[in-house]
Each structure stands twice: as structure tokens, then as C-alpha cells.
Amino acid sequence: MSEEQIQYVKKATMQMQHRRMTKKALLRRSVFLFLGAVLMSIGLEIFLVPNKIIDGGITGISIILSYLTNIQVGIFLTLLNLPFLFIGYKLIGKTFALSTLFSILVMSTGTYLLHPVKELTNDPLLAAVFGGIILGIGVGMVIRFGGSLDGTEIVAILVSKKIPFSVGEIVMFFNLFILGSAGFVYSWDRAMYSLIAYFIAYKMIDVTIEGFDESKSVWIISDSFRQIGEAILDRLGRGVTYLEGEGGFTGDNKKVIFCVITRLEEAKLKSIVDELDPAAFLAVGNIHDVKGGRFKKRDIH
């Protein structure tokens, strides 16, 4: 065989291996999205909804509307989240939109099937604690694997570009308004239980996805740095910086890619790097503050 033929065989073999790995990764993502959506259904229908306790965001609005109209909460969760699928597709990408759609459909089906099931406890404190734990783990799993079960963050990302507030602050204001509404719809003690459930769910999301910060720093070392950098620019719309590095063991010169992304973009960035160089070194860290540049103004394609 000639050198060109050998290189062609190596390339074809790597492509086949990558396809198998991609299918495995897709299956893994689907399983965890499914499990996360099911856990959220359990947290809602077995603990929170029967005890008149709400969560923040679209979920809280859906629970209140379900109580006022006597229509199952899963229907409102689906209808209210559908508009954000299109926004999420434009803002983050196709993979995010499909993952979100799959998760919402599983969650809605789960709430429908679990609706006739009797609640495990009538104690509102136990319901708030365990409902918050299960709900938070479920939402965290879905977010960690590239989806979303609530359109609040998508709206917050869009609004943050127009007003001088961060995504986290907008989400907090929005949720405080919704949780406060529980006092008028149910009673003020239920509103306080709802705050407990929301706080616990918030912390469990934090634990599940290992960091609730909106911004993350990314360091990538790869021989395919140029292709990866251009893909991040074209497909994520994020600026990258090429840094000079030196291998500690080999002494070889290395190019290091540095960029800052949002938490919702992390899954897509990892898929880009895995697609172009499965052997690349990738490090992702939380950032507590981002200042300067055009980070907040950059659109995501």
C-alpha cells in the first residue's frame, strides 16, 4: 500500500470510531435527559403539586395555572415552553433545541402518567424538602446534558443584552415574583414552603451540574487548534484567543485556545471539540465575573 492509501485507511478508521463514539454519546445523553425529565415529573406530581407548593420559572406558572383551571400541569409545561424552543434554537443551536424538546415531552408524559398516583406525604415541609431535592436533581441532569426544562434562562439571556442586569439577577427577580404569587393563589404559608422547595432545588441543581455560574472559561490544547477555533467562532459565535504554550514533558511548542462561554453552551462546545479532535485536552472552569470585551453582546449561532 502506498503512503496515501495508508493515511486514507487511518482516516477512515478514525471516522468509524468517531461515529461509534458519537452514537454512544448520543445514547448516554438521551438516557440522562430521560432520567432527568422523569425525576422532575416525580418531584412535581408526587410531592409539590398535590401539596400546593410551586417552583420558580415556567414550572411555577404552570402549577398555578393548573390549580386555577383544573388542567394537568404537564399540558401547561408543554405549551408555555414551546415558544422558547424556537428561541433556544436560534440562540444556542439545534442540539440544544432537540434535547429540550425531548426532555419536555418526557416530562409532560411523566406528569400525565403520575397524576392519578397518590402523593407520598401530606406534610408540606417534607413535600417541599424531598420535592425540591428530586426536582433539582432532575433539572440539573437535563441542563448538564445539553437541554433545558424551563424557558426562564433563555429569556434572561436575551433580556440581559438590553438591560444592565446579569442573567442570574433576572432569573432571581422573575422567580421571586412567581413565588410571591403563590401567597395570593394559595396561602402565605404555602408561599413560604415554596421558597424552601425552590432554595433546595436551586442547591441541588448546583450540585448536579457542578456549578451554577452562567459563565465558564475554556482551555483547549490540540494540534487542530485552528479548525477548533474557527468552529467555535462559526458555530457558537464566541471569540477565541490563541496562546503560546510549551509541553512540560516534550518541550514542544503548543497552541492553547482560550474562550469564555455560557453554561448552556458547554455541551455544544464539547461536542465540537470531540468532533474535530477526540484526543484534545479540554479544561472547563467556572467564572464568577466577566468584564470587558463583547462577551454579553455576542450572539450565538
Side-chain angles (χ1 to χ4, degrees):
M1 297 177 66
S2 66
E3 183 65 22
E4 291 181 356
Q5 290 173 327
I6 294 173
Q7 293 299 324
Y8 177 83
V9 171
K10 288 182 178 179
K11 182 178 179 180
T13 303
M14 290 184 63
Q15 288 175 342
M16 287 188 290
Q17 290 174 346
H18 175 62
R19 281 195 293 269
R20 286 197 295 268
M21 185 169 55
T22 301
K23 290 179 181 178
K24 182 178 178 180
L26 179 61
L27 177 61
R28 182 171 180 265
R29 169 180 286 192
S30 300
V31 168
F32 279 100
L33 289 174
F34 177 84
L35 291 175
V38 169
L39 285 175
M40 183 171 183
S41 303
I42 294 172
L44 287 173
E45 287 291 350
I46 303 299
F47 292 96
L48 300 186
V49 174
N51 289 282
K52 299 178 182 178
I53 298 172
I54 72 170
D55 186 34
I58 301 300
T59 303
I61 296 175
S62 299
I63 295 174
I64 292 176
L65 291 176
S66 175
Y67 174 76
L68 295 175
T69 61
N70 202 29
I71 299 175
Q72 289 187 12
V73 67
I75 295 176
F76 287 110
L77 285 169
T78 303
L79 293 177
L80 294 179
N81 274 302
L82 282 178
F84 301 113
L85 286 174
F86 178 75
I87 299 174
Y89 175 79
K90 292 292 185 180
L91 187 67
I92 300 172
K94 180 179 178 181
T95 302
F96 172 81
L98 291 176
S99 299
T100 299
L101 176 62
F102 173 73
S103 302
I104 290 173
L105 292 177
V106 172
M107 177 188 60
S108 300
T109 304
T111 55
Y112 174 79
L113 296 175
L114 291 171
H115 186 70
V117 180
K118 192 178 186 307
E119 68 272 16
L120 292 182
T121 177
N122 292 320
D123 188 322
L125 180 59
L126 289 176
V129 172
F130 285 93
I133 290 172
I134 295 173
L135 188 76
I137 294 174
V139 174
M141 288 174 63
V142 171
I143 292 175
R144 183 172 180 177
F145 287 90
S148 176
L149 287 170
D150 196 300
T152 307
E153 281 195 350
I154 298 174
V155 174
I157 291 173
L158 290 175
V159 175
S160 66
K161 300 177 181 179
K162 307 293 183 181
I163 60 177
F165 293 102
S166 68
V167 173
E169 290 171 338
I170 295 170
V171 171
M172 182 185 67
F173 295 148
F174 187 63
N175 286 332
L176 286 177
F177 173 77
I178 295 172
L179 292 168
S181 301
F184 297 98
V185 177
Y186 300 122
S187 60
W188 289 109
D189 65 330
R190 299 293 164 168
M192 288 185 280
Y193 284 124
S194 297
L195 282 171
I196 293 173
Y198 173 73
F199 177 78
I200 293 173
Y202 180 93
K203 289 300 181 181
M204 290 310 300
I205 292 173
D206 190 14
V207 171
T208 305
I209 64 177
E210 298 179 352
F212 199 70
D213 301 298
E214 287 80 17
S215 300
K216 290 180 174 288
S217 60
V218 180
W219 303 81
I220 306 167
I221 302 175
S222 170
D223 293 331
S224 304
F225 66 92
R226 188 68 64 182
Q227 296 94 314
I228 294 174
E230 290 175 354
I232 293 173
L233 284 166
D234 294 336
R235 293 159 63 177
L236 278 183
R238 292 300 180 195
V240 299
T241 300
Y242 298 109
L243 307 175
E244 295 289 344
E246 179 178 344
F249 290 102
T250 63
D252 295 337
N253 292 328
K254 297 285 186 180
K255 284 287 187 179
V256 181
I257 303 172
F258 174 77
C259 65
V260 177
I261 60 173
T262 65
R263 177 168 52 82
L264 295 176
E265 295 168 323
E266 183 179 353
K268 185 169 183 178
L269 181 136
K270 288 180 178 179
S271 68
I272 290 173
V273 175
D274 194 48
E275 173 188 334
L276 297 175
D277 185 5
F281 174 83
L282 172 66
V284 181
N286 294 322
I287 298 179
H288 297 287
D289 191 21
V290 179
K291 183 178 180 180
R294 300 177 59 190
F295 176 73
K296 288 188 176 181
K297 300 299 182 180
R298 176 76 67 177
D299 293 328
I300 305 169
H301 300 288

